[in-house]
Amino acid sequence: MNIQWYPGHMSKTKKLIMENLKLVDIIIELVDARIPYSSKNPNIDELSKHKPRIIVMNKSDLADENVTSKWVDWFKNQGYGVVVINSITGKGISTVYDLAKKMLKEKIEKDKKRGRIFRPIRAMVVGIPNVGKSTFINKLVGKASAKTGDRPGITKGKQWIKIKKDFELLDTPGILWPKFEDVNVGIKLAFTGAIKQEILDIQTLSLKLLDFLSKNFPNNIKNRYKITDISFKTSTELLKEIGLKRGFLISGGEVDYDRTSQILLDELRSGKLGNITFEIPEDIEEKNE
């Protein structure tokens, strides 16, 4: 299952980021705490031009807390500032401002010596589609300044947003990269809702998800769908049983696999399947060796 999605507006967003980098002091990149590595855009590394970077791990309420702690250490070892947040509740968001000031302390002091006392910190907010950038900004500013939604592609253009008198954000549309070299990256992005639903084969995707869950989080399937034993069941058999348990049937008593697949993906993305992280730092280190 090779998923690729890079519509024309993302190429425009890349140009927009390049054109506006000179205007900002620091880059804030939101990643999905369930897939911290796969949701981190490698293009941003190339575009950042050595500017300070904060990695904001959003949707932490949906991820495995212990694995999230490992990712915090991993990113810090790579030289990033790191904040773990839940943009819906606002947990952790206030620390982003404090960390930005701390990381830019030397620059702020230099500006003061030059007489630029009232110059605000300017940060660019970047991230993949549907990672929660707009919700994060709205919670940070305390009002609905950015458009939000539960599907990728809500933010269409750049917009400057004043957070405090000394802190401004440049919001940008969600951006992926032209080609996922690792097919598993595309699959993980599709699991979590970063890929436009219309291009996906949701039955194949749901079978991939069940394959992962049965190996790594079997109890989550058992508890959610009241299935007693999954040890020797294939992903297709599990999907069928979930459909039967939910009563998702079509004419002739056959399981409605499309509806069952959609419900499975929806329940993953809403957290009803429990706290799940799809990758750990150790796997990335092993792959990169």
Side-chain angles (χ1 to χ4, degrees):
M1 190 179 189
N2 191 359
I3 298 169
Q4 302 290 338
W5 185 47
Y6 191 71
H9 73 269
M10 290 191 185
S11 180
K12 292 178 182 177
T13 298
K14 183 176 178 180
K15 290 178 182 176
L16 182 149
I17 291 172
M18 291 173 66
E19 290 167 359
N20 288 276
L21 271 170
K22 61 182 179 293
L23 302 177
V24 302
D25 307 303
I26 192 167
I27 296 172
I28 298 172
E29 182 175 9
L30 267 71
V31 300
D32 189 319
R34 297 167 294 178
I35 51 169
Y37 186 81
S38 294
S39 60
K40 186 176 178 299
N41 190 334
N43 281 175
I44 302 302
D45 294 331
E46 300 166 21
L47 298 174
S48 62
K49 300 189 184 301
H50 309 294
K51 288 187 182 286
R53 302 265 296 282
I54 296 176
I55 297 293
V56 175
M57 297 181 65
N58 193 22
K59 305 190 180 184
S60 60
D61 56 310
L62 302 176
D64 183 309
E65 187 176 353
N66 292 327
V67 181
T68 297
S69 295
K70 290 184 179 181
W71 278 111
V72 169
D73 292 338
W74 190 85
F75 280 125
K76 284 182 177 178
N77 287 336
Q78 306 296 313
Y80 300 103
V82 188
V83 177
V84 176
I85 72 163
N86 175 350
S87 63
I88 302 296
T89 64
K91 182 181 178 181
I93 284 182
S94 62
T95 59
V96 174
Y97 168 72
D98 296 329
L99 180 56
K101 285 190 72 174
K102 181 180 178 181
M103 292 175 68
L104 292 169
K105 183 178 179 181
E106 189 175 328
K107 186 182 188 305
I108 293 169
E109 291 299 323
K110 285 182 179 178
D111 282 344
K112 285 181 179 179
K113 288 178 181 177
R114 294 171 183 165
R116 304 174 73 184
I117 300 172
F118 301 108
R119 183 187 180 281
I121 293 172
R122 286 184 164 178
M124 179 184 287
V125 182
V126 298
I128 64 169
N130 207 30
V131 77
K133 292 194 298 358
S134 297
T135 305
F136 160 72
I137 290 171
N138 289 340
K139 189 64 73 169
L140 193 60
V141 77
K143 60 183 178 181
S145 298
K147 293 179 182 178
T148 62
D150 60 358
R151 64 187 190 279
I154 297 298
T155 304
K156 299 298 184 184
K158 73 172 185 178
Q159 56 176 332
W160 281 102
I161 300 165
K162 191 168 187 176
I163 305 300
K164 299 174 180 282
K165 66 179 182 180
D166 62 346
F167 194 42
E168 295 177 357
L169 296 182
L170 176 61
D171 186 18
T172 60
I175 181 175
L176 291 169
W177 49 106
K179 185 179 181 182
F180 309 137
E181 299 296 339
D182 182 348
V183 295
N184 291 314
V185 168
I187 291 169
K188 291 173 193 174
L189 289 167
F191 283 163
T192 54
I195 305 288
K196 193 174 183 180
Q197 184 85 359
E198 287 78 3
I199 74 161
L200 299 173
D201 176 351
I202 62 169
Q203 282 193 38
T204 303
L205 187 64
S206 67
L207 292 174
K208 288 279 187 185
L209 175 59
L210 284 170
D211 188 44
F212 175 85
L213 294 177
S214 61
K215 291 175 182 174
N216 299 281
F217 295 90
N219 290 333
N220 296 54
I221 299 176
K222 291 178 185 177
N223 295 336
R224 182 64 188 170
Y225 301 112
K226 306 296 185 268
I227 300 174
T228 53
D229 184 20
I230 68 171
S231 308
F232 302 103
K233 289 181 176 144
T234 65
S235 296
T236 302
E237 290 169 337
L238 283 173
L239 189 63
K240 182 178 182 179
E241 189 162 351
I242 291 169
L244 290 170
K245 292 272 187 182
R246 290 294 176 91
F248 295 157
L249 306 175
I250 53 178
S251 58
E254 289 293 315
V255 168
D256 186 338
Y257 286 103
D258 276 346
R259 187 181 178 193
T260 306
S261 297
Q262 189 61 64
I263 288 296
L264 178 67
L265 292 166
D266 287 345
E267 294 195 340
L268 167 76
R269 294 166 185 170
S270 65
K272 291 178 181 176
L273 273 170
N275 294 66
I276 294 168
T277 301
F278 289 93
E279 53 196 16
I280 58 176
E282 291 91 325
D283 289 345
I284 305 303
E285 294 286 355
E286 184 178 328
K287 187 182 76 171
N288 290 340
E289 283 180 357

